[in-house]
Amino acid sequence: MRRKIIAGNWKMHKTSSETGEFIGRLWDAMGRKEAHCEVIVAPPFTSIAAAVDATRGGAVKVSAQDVHWENQGAYTGEVSGAMVKDSGCSHVIVGHSERRQWFGETDESVNLKIKAALRHGLIPIFCLGESLEEREASKTFEVLERQVSRGLDGVQIASPDRLVIAYEPVWAIGTGRTASPEQAQEAHAFIRGGVGSLFGRELGGNVRILYGGSVKPENTRGLMSRGDIDGALVGGASLKIDDFMGIITESA
Ligand code: PEP
């Protein structure tokens, strides 16, 4: 049984004080107990300490939004896996399409970052997904196949809970346009098959694959009812307590 994950990617939003306040209110909204699913928030680096402080014994986990692939060195502005781990994060988002689009992230750098995350005991939330152009050119599966095989090339995964995958079709991120449950299910099943052929059926069958792209409380239930959809990576709607809590509730 794969326990669902609802993760909020805050992108470049929320200062430390806003982060502490949000997590306090989220904890209240959760009835001050663990939810049915794993709940993760990914604040900007500068708010991680405040998030870790406010997470109340781990009922809300904290993820970073990126990590460098080297352990240390002359990389101005970058943050290593050891630093992310030391800051109290359990997870790190790797390969988000905004980083691929605006910051030159490639399948190769994503691969190195996944390895760095695992090396430092972090669970990578490995994002992948096709652009609108690729979908319209019927290249979705070709793109997903490439992203899975290159992103996970040479990666060693000790157990299925050491990796999370997020299928995020680029055309659905921040656009208000969500993949239909059928489109998402089809992509998730394909990705699961790809992970299974790389690491064996046992791992493929147990790894959690989240859907991301304009998830809101109203579309959560339809998406989560599909067999291969194990939760959501939420952008915009994770910034508002009512929406984020609504998604947590609707995913049960
Ligand atoms: C994201 O950035 O990972 C995301 C899914 O954003 P949104 O929910 O706003 O589409």
Side-chain angles (χ1 to χ4, degrees):
M1 183 68 182
R2 301 186 299 264
R3 188 177 178 209
K4 288 207 167 50
I5 297 175
I6 301 296
N9 173 17
W10 289 358
K11 312 189 185 194
M12 201 167 71
H13 294 282
K14 296 197 192 293
T15 60
S16 300
S17 54
E18 289 164 347
T19 296
E21 197 206 320
F22 184 98
I23 294 174
R25 287 179 54 211
L26 178 64
W27 178 238
D28 287 344
M30 286 164 65
R32 298 177 166 263
K33 57 180 179 3
E34 275 220 35
H36 67 92
C37 56
E38 280 182 45
V39 177
I40 303 173
V41 292
F45 286 125
T46 48
S47 296
I48 285 174
V52 170
D53 245 22
T55 48
R56 322 283 164 161
V60 179
K61 296 187 172 120
V62 182
S63 172
Q65 296 177 17
D66 192 21
V67 65
H68 195 266
W69 57 81
E70 290 291 348
N71 292 342
Q72 58 183 23
Y75 300 102
T76 301
E78 292 292 328
V79 172
S80 73
M83 293 165 187
V84 172
K85 181 71 180 170
D86 177 65
S87 71
C89 288
S90 50
H91 293 71
V92 58
I93 296 172
V94 176
H96 191 279
S97 66
E98 286 154 13
R99 296 218 57 89
R100 292 181 193 252
Q101 185 177 358
W102 305 115
F103 303 99
E105 197 86 88
T106 62
D107 291 329
E108 287 65 39
S109 60
V110 169
N111 175 255
L112 291 172
K113 288 179 176 195
I114 290 173
K115 288 175 178 160
L118 291 166
R119 201 163 63 236
H120 292 285
L122 294 159
I123 300 173
I125 303 176
F126 166 32
C127 301
L128 46 83
E130 80 288 358
S131 66
L132 184 58
E133 211 180 16
E134 289 161 340
R135 177 161 281 266
E136 286 177 344
S138 302
K139 290 196 171 146
T140 299
F141 297 114
E142 190 185 313
V143 170
L144 296 181
E145 207 280 316
R146 190 201 73 222
Q147 291 176 330
V148 169
S149 59
R150 292 200 187 160
L152 296 176
D153 183 40
V155 168
Q156 309 277 334
I157 308 205
S159 63
D161 58 347
R162 302 313 298 168
L163 174 70
V164 175
I165 295 179
Y167 169 61
E168 300 207 303
V170 181
W171 48 272
I173 297 181
T175 59
R177 189 174 161 192
T178 320
S180 68
E182 294 71 28
Q183 286 171 320
Q185 165 59 29
E186 187 183 38
H188 281 228
F190 182 82
I191 293 166
R192 194 177 298 291
V195 175
S197 30
L198 287 173
F199 300 105
R201 279 186 57 191
E202 160 80 12
L203 199 135
N206 288 301
V207 75
R208 274 139 342 144
I209 306 179
L210 316 184
Y211 168 78
S214 299
V215 174
K216 311 178 206 58
E218 309 85 73
N219 57 29
T220 301
R221 195 163 288 277
L223 287 159
M224 298 305 132
S225 64
R226 299 302 165 126
D228 286 296
I229 304 184
D230 305 316
L233 180 55
V234 187
S238 71
L239 296 170
K240 297 191 199 111
I241 289 282
D242 290 351
D243 287 348
F244 195 50
M245 197 55 220
I247 291 168
I248 292 170
T249 308
E250 289 296 314
S251 68

